[in-house]
Amino acid sequence: MNDYAYIFAATTVPLFFGFGLVPELAPASVALSFDTKKQVHDGKIYPSRRAHMGFDEAGILYGRLDDPADGDLFRIGIEKHFHLVVDRVHAKTKLSRAALWRLFGDAIAQRFLDAGLRFDAIEAAAMSILKTPASPLANRELHYFNLTQYDRHAKAVRETFRQRGGCCRFYLVKAEPIVPPAC
């Protein structure tokens, strides 16, 4: 769940946050593939997992980050997309649907934080999406907070962090392939 959530968030959030693009997120419009590439680090070869995600070009809409309707469009798209994933993972693991939604919300919030730090605007867009009442993404524990530390010259160094709303435990499940439904 975490792998897919972070891959999905890493692909969709910057498109929306940085460029106002809202891709069609229906499962039939999203392509996801994985591969392994050999990487060299300090003279040693390591396998590196990679993921590639693509969208049907015809389904990309243009919106604005500061337009609540476009934020709703993005939120509704990711909710629709993840309902199937949450249901499948729940059926295989018996981890509660609410816990799975919180894990996904954590991934989206982290990617909003990463993108927001680049564009100097974090909380408004992310929280309007992640705190919508009745949304499965809504979680009262999830938020951003700032820590200030002082360097040796007494200069304040401020950093923004995400407080996760999801569970921090790792669950072990028997590895079984999940076969996607025919679209």
Side-chain angles (χ1 to χ4, degrees):
M1 180 66 178
N2 273 341
D3 280 352
Y4 186 61
Y6 278 91
I7 291 164
F8 183 90
T11 306
T12 59
V13 170
L15 287 175
F16 176 65
F17 196 93
F19 306 103
L21 300 176
V22 181
E24 169 57 54
L25 297 173
S29 298
V30 177
L32 177 66
S33 66
F34 295 93
D35 65 26
T36 303
K37 181 181 178 183
K38 292 180 181 176
Q39 300 237 271
V40 178
H41 180 70
D42 288 338
K44 294 182 182 179
I45 298 174
Y46 297 94
S48 175
R49 289 182 351 157
R50 297 167 18 130
H52 309 276
M53 191 168 216
F55 305 100
D56 180 358
E57 242 179 83
I60 295 181
L61 304 173
Y62 297 90
R64 292 192 351 245
L65 187 62
D66 60 350
D67 185 337
D70 291 336
D72 285 344
L73 184 66
F74 182 63
R75 177 185 52 77
I76 290 166
I78 60 179
E79 287 173 4
K80 285 180 181 177
H81 184 88
F82 260 83
H83 268 289
L84 178 63
V85 176
V86 166
D87 287 346
R88 289 287 178 101
V89 173
H90 167 73
K92 289 286 186 185
T93 66
K94 302 304 180 218
L95 186 60
S96 79
R97 284 178 179 87
L100 293 167
W101 279 108
R102 286 191 300 268
L103 290 171
F104 180 57
D106 289 344
I108 292 288
Q110 183 60 49
R111 294 304 181 188
F112 264 107
L113 176 59
D114 296 342
L117 290 171
R118 285 195 176 274
F119 295 102
D120 198 27
I122 300 168
E123 194 159 350
M127 290 303 134
S128 69
I129 289 169
L130 296 169
K131 297 290 189 176
T132 300
S135 167
L137 293 168
N139 179 348
R140 70 176 183 264
E141 303 299 325
L142 176 64
H143 66 274
Y144 298 117
F145 64 94
N146 296 307
L147 287 179
T148 302
Q149 189 171 333
Y150 295 90
D151 67 12
R152 62 187 173 132
H153 305 291
K155 181 181 176 190
V157 178
R158 185 176 170 182
E159 186 78 30
T160 302
F161 295 90
R162 166 204 60 175
Q163 177 174 307
R164 294 180 61 213
C167 178
C168 59
R169 298 183 196 115
F170 285 93
Y171 290 88
L172 300 175
V173 295
K174 190 170 108 179
E176 292 181 31
I178 297 175
V179 179
C183 294

